[in-house]
Amino acid sequence: MPDKVKVTKSSGEVADAEIIAVFDIADFNRSYVIYSYDETDPNGLAKLHVSQLKEEDGKYNFIDVETDDEWTRIKNVMREIITGGNA
Amino acid sequence: MASYEFKKINPSMNMSETGGKVIALQTDGKNKLKTAYENYYNAEIAKEAPAATPQVEQPVESLDIPAPVNTDVVNFEPAPANLDPNTPIDVEPFKIDEPVAPVDINPAPAAPVESNPIPAVDTTPSTDVISPVEFVKRFDDLVKITSFDEASRNLMRNQIRSSVALAGIVSDLNTSKLETMDLFNQVKNVQQTMQTTQNVVQNNQNEASLKLAA
């Protein structure tokens, strides 16, 4: 399991990120990545970043989740994993 | 039904972030997400790893060596417990000034040698002459211990008996012990004996023929 990866942000900044999970949702025929910059919000919760994962030209692109439906499905997958569901 | 499927990524590839969403989770939720994915990821890595060559454990044979029987047990006598290596041992020194007795080099007279006389051999002719009947008996005994078969043994026995009978007749004639009638009877007996011998020979031949035919 990779501990840390280097992610180049849109600002050009390269930051260490921690890969939390990567999964496919077959209904959308897309892959998604959950990662963390080890940040917390004001309430002390862990901030996680969720992006659509696209592999192009030998590199990964973390792009935006396009629809609300996708986003809802992603959150449901996260709940499923946390509550002990399995792939 | 599972609505997702974990996917393994290559962490060495370049990663660029152009967009996405942010969500806040309790640390416990984050850890559970990560642990679930780690389990999947490590299992995939294990699948891709070359299978280690299984080490086949060679069976080890045990060699049973029977314990020797009738083995003498050697009992070494233990050293005396009170043996003190520091205790001096009394050694009687040689007495070099003691006079030595002269040696008598004259040879002692030899003792007379007793002669062991060899007893004289009795050369007197033995009068123990066996009779013809005894001779036949001894011959029978001799024949019994040989490896002849029964038929051959009977044949030889009868021939000897005939010869002895003839010898007896000749001897009696020489000593004029036989009358004419006696001589006739003796010859008749010899003839009967010879006939018996011939019968035995014939029987032996018949038996041999039968064995060959069988």
Side-chain angles (χ1 to χ4, degrees):
Chain A
M1 174 69 181
D3 285 336
K4 299 285 184 182
V5 293
K6 299 285 187 185
V7 175
T8 305
K9 295 184 176 181
S10 55
S11 61
E13 177 192 0
V14 177
D16 288 333
E18 179 184 16
I19 300 295
I20 303 298
V22 182
F23 54 88
D24 292 335
I25 296 179
D27 290 346
F28 302 126
N29 196 25
R30 290 176 178 171
S31 301
Y32 301 93
V33 57
I34 303 173
Y35 55 102
S36 166
Y37 291 118
D38 198 19
E39 303 161 312
T40 56
D41 72 352
N43 298 321
L45 299 178
K47 285 175 66 174
L48 298 184
H49 295 254
V50 181
S51 298
Q52 184 188 158
L53 177 69
K54 277 209 167 187
E55 182 179 347
E56 290 176 340
D57 298 331
K59 69 175 186 179
Y60 291 121
N61 290 324
F62 296 174
I63 62 177
D64 201 4
V65 175
E66 293 182 359
T67 64
D68 291 341
D69 189 23
E70 276 184 82
W71 179 230
T72 302
R73 290 289 298 274
I74 290 170
K75 288 188 284 186
N76 288 337
V77 167
M78 293 172 68
R79 289 191 190 97
E80 189 177 339
I81 295 172
I82 291 170
T83 55
N86 204 351
Chain B
M1 181 176 175
S3 59
Y4 69 97
E5 187 172 349
F6 281 131
K7 178 179 181 177
K8 190 163 72 69
I9 61 169
N10 182 0
S12 62
M13 285 173 64
N14 291 329
M15 300 178 188
S16 298
E17 177 197 71
T18 58
K21 294 188 177 299
V22 177
I23 189 171
L25 275 183
Q26 292 182 348
T27 307
D28 180 55
K30 174 190 168 186
N31 291 337
K32 284 182 178 177
L33 275 174
K34 189 179 177 185
T35 300
Y37 184 62
E38 274 182 347
N39 291 339
Y40 156 81
Y41 195 95
N42 292 335
E44 288 297 308
I45 294 295
K47 284 180 190 174
E48 294 172 2
T53 303
Q55 290 187 347
V56 179
E57 187 173 351
Q58 295 291 335
V60 179
E61 287 187 31
S62 61
L63 182 61
D64 294 331
I65 302 176
V69 295
N70 299 329
T71 302
D72 292 334
V73 177
V74 180
N75 291 319
F76 291 98
E77 187 175 349
N82 57 356
L83 183 61
D84 183 2
N86 297 321
T87 303
I89 300 174
D90 293 334
V91 178
E92 187 175 354
F94 290 108
K95 298 175 181 177
I96 59 175
D97 54 350
E98 191 170 302
V100 178
V103 179
D104 186 3
I105 60 173
N106 291 327
V113 178
E114 285 190 21
S115 61
N116 188 16
I118 300 172
V121 178
D122 186 4
T123 58
T124 306
S126 173
T127 56
D128 186 17
V129 177
I130 62 172
S131 65
V133 174
E134 178 64 17
F135 175 78
V136 171
K137 180 179 178 304
R138 292 188 185 182
F139 183 79
D140 276 352
D141 294 339
L142 179 63
V143 169
K144 284 177 184 174
I145 63 174
T146 62
S147 60
F148 295 129
D149 59 18
E150 189 63 27
S152 300
R153 208 174 291 145
N154 290 334
L155 175 60
M156 294 179 68
R157 188 179 296 123
N158 288 329
Q159 285 176 338
I160 292 298
R161 281 173 179 163
S162 300
S163 300
V164 170
L166 280 172
I169 292 170
V170 172
S171 176
D172 289 344
L173 282 174
N174 288 337
T175 55
S176 301
K177 287 181 181 178
L178 293 177
E179 296 296 334
T180 304
M181 196 59 196
D182 291 336
L183 179 60
F184 176 76
N185 290 334
Q186 292 280 4
V187 170
K188 192 177 179 180
N189 288 337
V190 170
Q191 285 177 337
Q192 287 177 348
T193 304
M194 294 296 286
Q195 184 61 44
T196 302
T197 302
Q198 286 181 345
N199 291 340
V200 170
V201 171
Q202 187 62 43
N203 288 337
N204 288 341
Q205 290 176 345
N206 292 339
E207 286 179 6
S209 299
L210 287 173
K211 288 179 180 176
L212 284 175

